[in-house]
């Protein structure tokens, strides 16, 4: 049509023809957009009726897991075994509680060392350029088991590759005697190994924190991504590890770090005193 207008007509006729084409295209696109919106609304209604949210459609990995769980539940619903069904309901309730924690931005590991896998992945993320850690030694066996030694070696390797690692060590009197510049073994060797690899280590006497009990913690701050905290048993093993990705929790951990720093003395300064 534009070609005919250009051949038989002047500029006004050409502009009129162009306007008709543009209007037609815009009308077609608007119609398609409205139809698409209707389909999206209908799809959202169907998903919500099935207990789903449309966000799942844009997360293929989560949606795939949802489908597999739904199929398994359908198969389970066909079972007449009451014992099996009761156990399944109890197990699924526990699973729901864990998923709810994760949906809030928290991962919880209890009585397992599998948290160290996530710990390593976080430290290796390119966006994590700084790692701050508070290690509270209750006894001489802390960090001395095989998983602890592997984590220490990981820290040293990452420090060698350029990751900035800062660690504050809270030491009991049994490992850092009053009046002594340096702590005792094996804490001293543990700190020295990190010092050699460029990890910034500071020490705090546990007795100096009597008036600040909330500073007696074991935690790690992974850049601006997450904060991890752990509980340790009498044998130095992790009994519970929590990884929280919420900004307010990370900022609260950073406030603890800053306050603890007021009581800390760098290992380099302690070496100078000893010399």
């Amino acid at each position: 049509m534009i070609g005919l207008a250009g051949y038989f007509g002047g500029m006004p006729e050409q502009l009129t023809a162009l306007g008709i084409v543009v209007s037609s295209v815009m009308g077609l696109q608007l119609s398609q957009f409205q139809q698409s919106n209707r389909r999206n609304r209908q799809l959202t209604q169907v998903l919500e009726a099935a207990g789903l949210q449309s966000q799942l459609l844009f997360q293929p990995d989560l949606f795939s897991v949802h489908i597999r769980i739904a199929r398994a539940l359908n198969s389970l619903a066909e079972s007449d075994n009451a014992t099996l069904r009761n156990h399944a309901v109890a197990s699924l309730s526990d699973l729901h509680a864990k998923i709810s924690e994760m949906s809030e931005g928290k991962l919880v590991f209890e009585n397992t060392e599998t948290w160290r896998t996530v710990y390593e992945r976080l430290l290796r993320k390119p966006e994590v350029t700084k790692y701050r850690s508070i290690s509270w030694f209750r006894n001489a066996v802390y960090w001395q088991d095989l998983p602890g030694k592997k984590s220490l070696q990981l820290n040293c390797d990452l420090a060698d590759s350029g990751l900035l690692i800062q660690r504050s060590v809270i030491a009991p009197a049994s490992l850092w005697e009053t009046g002594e510049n340096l702590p005792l073994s094996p804490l001293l060797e543990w700190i020295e190994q990190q010092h050699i690899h460029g990890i910034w280590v500071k020490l705090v006497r546990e007795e100096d924190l009597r008036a600040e009990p909330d500073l007696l913690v074991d935690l790690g701050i992974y850049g601006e991504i997450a904060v991890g905290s752990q509980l340790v048993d009498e044998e130095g093993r992790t009994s519970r590890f929590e990884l929280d990705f919420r900004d307010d929790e990370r900022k609260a951990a950073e406030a603890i770090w800053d306050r603890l720093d007021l009581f800390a003395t760098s290992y380099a300064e302690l070496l100078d005193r000893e010399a």
Side-chain angles (χ1 to χ4, degrees):
M1 183 169 63
I2 296 177
L4 292 174
Y7 184 79
F8 293 105
M11 182 62 69
E13 289 78 7
Q14 294 180 26
L15 291 176
T16 300
L18 178 61
I20 294 173
V21 172
V22 171
S23 298
S24 300
V25 172
M26 291 181 64
L28 179 61
Q29 290 180 339
L30 178 61
S31 175
Q32 292 176 342
F33 178 74
Q34 291 172 339
Q35 292 177 5
S36 176
N37 275 348
R38 281 197 297 271
R39 286 195 297 269
N40 287 340
R41 287 197 299 270
Q42 292 171 351
L43 178 59
T44 299
Q45 292 172 354
V46 171
L47 290 173
E48 290 177 348
L52 293 170
Q53 297 295 323
S54 57
Q55 291 92 327
L56 277 175
L57 292 179
F58 302 99
Q59 303 292 337
D61 50 351
L62 291 177
F63 189 68
S64 175
V65 172
H66 176 86
I67 293 298
R68 295 200 299 271
I69 292 176
R71 288 174 178 170
L73 286 175
N74 283 332
S75 298
L76 185 62
E78 297 174 356
S79 174
D80 295 327
N81 190 316
T83 301
L84 176 63
R85 289 167 64 96
N86 291 338
H87 181 74
V89 169
S91 298
L92 289 170
S93 296
D94 292 339
L95 178 61
H96 174 262
K98 292 182 178 180
I99 293 176
S100 296
E101 285 180 335
M102 287 186 281
S103 69
E104 295 173 357
K106 182 189 295 185
L107 293 175
V108 179
F109 303 84
E110 294 192 82
N111 298 314
T112 176
E113 294 289 347
T114 57
W115 64 269
R116 295 184 188 273
T117 301
V118 182
Y119 164 86
E120 179 173 349
R121 288 175 184 168
L122 275 173
L123 289 180
R124 292 188 181 279
K125 280 183 170 293
E127 56 267 37
V128 175
T129 58
K130 179 170 65 174
Y131 171 52
R132 288 167 287 180
S133 167
I134 300 176
S135 299
W136 179 18
F137 274 72
R138 281 77 154 183
N139 50 50
V141 297
Y142 185 41
W143 279 82
Q144 301 304 310
D145 61 358
L146 184 58
K149 290 180 178 179
K150 287 183 177 180
S151 290
L152 178 60
Q153 186 59 53
L154 172 67
N155 279 214
C156 293
D157 292 342
L158 291 174
D160 290 340
S161 64
L163 178 64
L164 174 60
I165 300 180
Q166 300 171 313
R167 174 163 284 119
S168 289
V169 179
I170 302 175
S174 60
L175 290 175
W176 192 13
E177 297 177 347
T178 302
E180 294 295 327
N181 289 323
L182 299 177
L184 301 174
S185 297
L187 177 54
L188 179 60
E189 288 79 11
W190 182 80
I191 293 173
E192 179 64 22
Q193 181 179 351
Q194 297 174 74
H195 178 69
I196 292 173
H197 288 271
I199 296 175
W200 294 65
V201 182
K202 291 187 175 183
L203 284 86
V204 182
R205 294 184 186 275
E206 184 179 316
E207 59 188 31
D208 292 339
L209 302 178
R210 290 176 182 173
E212 309 281 348
D214 61 314
L215 299 183
L216 293 169
V217 294
D218 256 302
L219 61 81
I221 305 172
Y222 308 87
E224 297 184 355
I225 295 180
V227 56
S229 60
Q230 65 175 334
L231 295 177
V232 181
D233 60 24
E234 294 180 355
E235 297 180 355
R237 292 192 297 261
T238 304
S239 59
R240 181 181 177 89
F241 182 82
E242 295 184 4
L243 192 62
D244 205 309
F245 293 86
R246 293 174 292 185
D247 286 341
D248 55 344
E249 293 297 322
R250 176 181 54 79
K251 291 177 181 177
E254 290 174 344
I256 289 177
W257 171 271
D258 291 339
R259 287 172 53 209
L260 184 63
D261 199 49
L262 298 175
F263 298 88
T265 305
S266 71
Y267 178 62
E269 182 179 339
L270 294 175
L271 286 177
D272 291 339
R273 292 180 187 178
E274 184 69 7

